Every structure is written in C-alpha cells, then in structure tokens.
Amino acid sequence: MTLLRQPSGFEMLVSRLLVLFKHGLSLSVIWWLVAVPALAVEMRVAIGDRLSQVTVGSSTPAVVKTMSGQGVGQIPQGRAVTVTPDGGGVRLADWRGQAFWVEPTNGGYIFIKDNWYRGRVLVVPTEGGLTAVNWVDIEAYLYGVVGSEMPASWPQEALKAQAVAARSYALYRRDRTQNQLFDVGGTTAHQVYKGLAAEAPSVHAAVNATQGQVLTHGGRVIEAVFHSSSGGHTENSEDVWQRPTPYLRGVADFDQEAPVFQWSETFSAQQLAQRITGIGHLQSVSTERATPRGRVVSARLQGTQGSRTLTGVELRQALGLRSTLISFNIAGDTIRVNGRGFGHGLGMSQWGARGLATRGHNYQQILTHYYQGTTFSNLRLAEAQRQATPQVARGLHQPGLAR
C-alpha cells in the first residue's frame, strides 16, 4: 500500500534526465545459506501492459537488440523512441522484429513510458498492444520499491523491515511466474515500483544493510504481503482470503498514529444509488459475515427498490473505501461510513512498523511480530533449470516481539 513519500535528492537527478527527453529461458531459483552477499538475480517488472505504444530511451547511448541478443542498432543518448505494434511484432524506429531489448551502456538509466529506471527493458507484443518489462537486479529493484512503499524519512528500522518484506514477496512471486512474461507489476496489485523517482540515501542504506535477507517458513521464502494500516489488529489469512497461511496470523498492531487509523466517508442517497445499482435509496445494511476483528466479508444492502448482497471487497471497490473494517450510519438521505485502517489487514502493517521502530524495536523484531514463526535467512541465489525444486537452508531464528 503506497504512502506519501518525502522528496529526495534523486528527484533532482530524475528532473535533469527528463530534460534530455524534452529538447530468455524461464528459470527457477535454488537457495543456499552462505555467509557471502547474494549473487545478482534479475526481476522482471511490467512497467506497462497492453499499451497502444510505449516510449523508451536512455541517459546514455543504448543498444537495441533482438530477442536472440543480436544487436541491430543504437539509440543516441537522450533520444526518446516510440515503440508501436507492427502486425504480430514490434516496430522501434526503423527496426521491425518480434520483440526488442533496449540496454543502456556505461551504467546508464532506462526511460520507460514516463519514468526512469535501472536495468534494461524488453518490449514485446501482447494481446491488445505492447508490454514493457524492466529487467533489473533485485537489489536495484528494491531501491525503487522501498521508497515507493514507505516515506524515506521514516525510521531506518522500519525501512529495513520494508526492504526484507519486499524482497521476500518479490522472490516468492518470481518463483511462481517462471513461464510468464513478468514476475510482478509496478502497482499496488503487487508492490509499488517508481524507479529512480522513489530513491533516496536512506532507502539505499536500508536495502544495502539487509542485502540478500529474506523471511522463510518451512524452508521456503514466504509471501510477505503488507498493507498500510490495520486499524489496530491484523487478520488471520483464512478470514480474509479463505486459505490458511501459518505465518499470516492476526496480531496486535501499533498503527495508532496513522492518519487512516480512523476515518469516515459520507455519501448522499443518490450518490450511493449510482455506485451500487439495483436497490434504489439505501435503507439498511446488515453484515452477514465478518472476520473476528470486524472486517466485512459479506453484507446485505436493502433499498427502496430491492436488495443486494455484496462481498466486503465489492463494497469497498464500489464506494472507494480504504478497507473493509467498516460500519454504516444512515440518517435520512445521508449515509456515513465509519472505518479503520487502509488495506487488507494481512501481514506487516507499514504504520505499525513505524510505530514499533519509534518504540525502539529493530527490523528483525518488527518482521517476526507480523510474520509469525518465520526465520531470517541470508541467501546466495543461483539460477537453475526450472525443473529444480526450490529449497532454502535454515537460518537463525530471530526472537519475535512480545505481545
């Protein structure tokens, strides 16, 4: 869940770069526990999917290659090139092919769509348009994630917790997308990734200090989901997703300072009737099923013209609410929705991580509080053929935060 981020010195770099534009084989992962830094592993991040066109370029001269790696030309430094679909392939300037790599030289940055990124880009035709995939080293990827997901001004221990959670989530996804075009997107559907615009020295420090560290459970990297604020207590996974996950247990949160800890939204009867059709003016809302913490799983809405049963997620989407931890107050033609928290309430609460960090807890304590029964591992990553079974050696278990 994205939070407001404080400006950083990297924004000046991005602005300067923007001025220039104005005038293979699916692999799996084998994990070994060692005492050396992690080897480079690339993430495949969809910057744009099913686009009608995409603009690419580089801060340094960039080499254009075919899918097989054959060089076909070069894009000059600071030149923007529009890539468009071409039959069943791709057209990039005067080149036509099935797909194209654009790779900056001399450590340059790549421009994709409307932002600057580290790494390189692969542009391929997909159903309905083009997909631009940023191939980037996972640690460099985290520079652009941590600062997108958490303000760079927050305590270093909270930023470190975010780095480990984001790394774990990314590698969990990567191992399950072997035959797909990309591992993750760059939005809240996965984790937000804004590239260089989100980087800052504090973010670099947090990522570097936790290099290669992931959370594991039962010898496997966990699905380290997170959210902005739970509203006081996180949830058990089966109560929200209907599938139990042993490390996603409901725990007390420390997010009381979050601006979204408590909130309300007000709708007129007409506004609500436009957003939830088929019931007329709302008369009553009855919760049919809720989590033990009060999140709406399903609710029945009765109106002047009929009734509908919606899931909590459908209700949240229809009304644009921050969470499903809600209650309704109807007074004539005015409907007030009172709520708490922001997000699904599973895993780490980002505002809770901040709260714990300000109380003096380190990132290991923060993470083992929100991801119950997990283990920290320092990993050396080596790629192998996809039929290999992912494994991880057991690391040192960190003590959890007392509750």
Side-chain angles (χ1 to χ4, degrees):
M1 185 60 61
T2 308
L3 303 172
L4 294 177
R5 185 185 56 81
Q6 299 295 320
S8 75
F10 277 84
E11 291 175 339
M12 298 178 62
L13 170 62
V14 174
S15 297
R16 289 197 293 269
L17 291 172
L18 286 170
V19 170
L20 295 174
F21 274 80
K22 290 180 180 179
H23 294 263
L25 175 68
S26 295
L27 300 174
S28 185
V29 178
I30 294 179
W31 316 85
W32 288 286
L33 176 67
V34 293
V36 298
L39 294 177
V41 168
E42 284 188 306
M43 291 295 300
R44 303 170 302 166
V45 190
I47 303 303
D49 192 22
R50 295 177 175 83
L51 303 172
S52 60
Q53 63 180 37
V54 59
T55 301
V56 299
S58 174
S59 64
T60 59
V63 177
V64 180
K65 298 180 180 179
T66 64
M67 276 290 287
S68 63
Q70 179 182 359
V72 297
Q74 190 174 84
I75 300 176
Q77 174 181 343
R79 179 73 58 83
V81 178
T82 300
V83 188
T84 57
D86 185 61
V90 172
R91 176 170 181 153
L92 191 159
D94 295 330
W95 305 297
R96 292 182 175 89
Q98 291 303 306
F100 286 111
W101 290 99
V102 179
E103 301 181 354
T105 60
N106 303 319
Y109 303 114
I110 189 76
F111 186 83
I112 311 170
K113 193 178 173 185
D114 53 9
N115 278 312
W116 291 93
Y117 300 91
R118 297 174 184 269
R120 52 188 176 146
V121 65
L122 174 65
V123 183
V124 300
T126 50
E127 183 178 356
L130 301 173
T131 297
V133 183
N134 180 205
W135 285 56
V136 58
D137 175 82
I138 189 168
E139 301 299 318
Y141 162 70
L142 291 172
Y143 291 156
V145 169
V146 173
S148 300
E149 285 286 357
M150 187 172 279
S153 61
W154 276 16
Q156 188 67 192
E157 295 304 304
L159 292 171
K160 290 177 184 177
Q162 182 66 72
V164 175
R167 185 183 293 108
S168 301
Y169 177 82
L171 293 174
Y172 176 93
R173 287 283 307 173
R174 184 179 184 272
D175 188 50
R176 284 155 180 79
T177 55
Q178 298 164 4
N179 297 315
Q180 299 177 26
L181 182 60
F182 54 86
D183 303 313
V184 293
T187 68
T188 54
H190 293 117
Q191 48 192 14
V192 182
Y193 171 58
K194 296 181 180 178
L196 264 65
E199 294 189 18
S202 61
V203 170
H204 290 177
V207 173
N208 294 343
T210 63
Q211 183 178 16
Q213 293 183 25
V214 294
L215 291 167
T216 62
H217 187 278
R220 293 179 180 274
V221 178
I222 71 166
E223 185 180 12
V225 294
F226 49 86
H227 60 283
S228 177
S229 163
S230 74
H233 204 285
T234 68
E235 298 278 0
N236 294 328
S237 62
E238 63 270 23
D239 295 325
V240 176
W241 286 347
Q242 286 75 56
R243 57 181 175 90
T245 303
Y247 48 82
L248 295 179
R249 302 292 88 199
V251 296
D253 203 359
F254 296 82
D255 60 337
Q256 290 76 16
E257 295 180 5
V260 291
F261 182 75
Q262 290 184 318
W263 49 267
S264 65
E265 297 286 349
T266 302
F267 304 89
S268 68
Q270 182 179 3
Q271 287 174 326
L272 196 138
Q274 291 172 342
R275 298 193 184 200
I276 302 176
T277 59
I279 63 171
H281 284 196
L282 182 67
Q283 295 175 316
S284 65
V285 178
S286 55
T287 300
E288 293 189 338
R289 192 157 64 93
T291 70
R293 296 296 163 182
R295 291 177 190 271
V296 175
V297 177
S298 64
R300 185 174 184 81
L301 284 70
Q302 179 66 53
T304 57
Q305 298 176 10
S307 64
R308 290 181 60 183
T309 296
L310 298 178
T311 67
V313 173
E314 290 170 338
L315 197 56
R316 179 186 175 189
Q317 292 173 342
L319 299 181
L321 305 175
R322 295 176 178 86
S323 76
T324 59
L325 188 56
I326 52 176
S327 63
F328 285 76
N329 185 294
I330 302 172
D333 287 341
T334 301
I335 297 97
R336 183 182 178 92
V337 183
N338 298 309
R340 298 206 314 272
F342 195 166
H344 48 56
L346 296 175
M348 185 180 74
S349 158
Q350 293 166 315
W351 275 96
R354 178 185 182 275
L356 287 171
T358 59
R359 289 168 170 81
H361 297 287
N362 62 34
Y363 74 97
Q364 295 98 330
Q365 292 173 315
I366 294 170
L367 290 167
T368 51
H369 173 63
Y370 289 109
Y371 304 106
Q372 293 282 292
T374 55
T375 297
F376 274 79
S377 295
N378 292 313
L379 304 172
R380 180 185 178 97
L381 289 78
E383 295 188 330
Q385 299 296 340
R386 59 187 177 187
Q387 62 265 28
T389 302
Q391 296 176 335
V392 60
R394 188 170 180 82
L396 295 176
H397 186 76
Q398 299 292 335
L401 180 70
R403 298 188 301 283

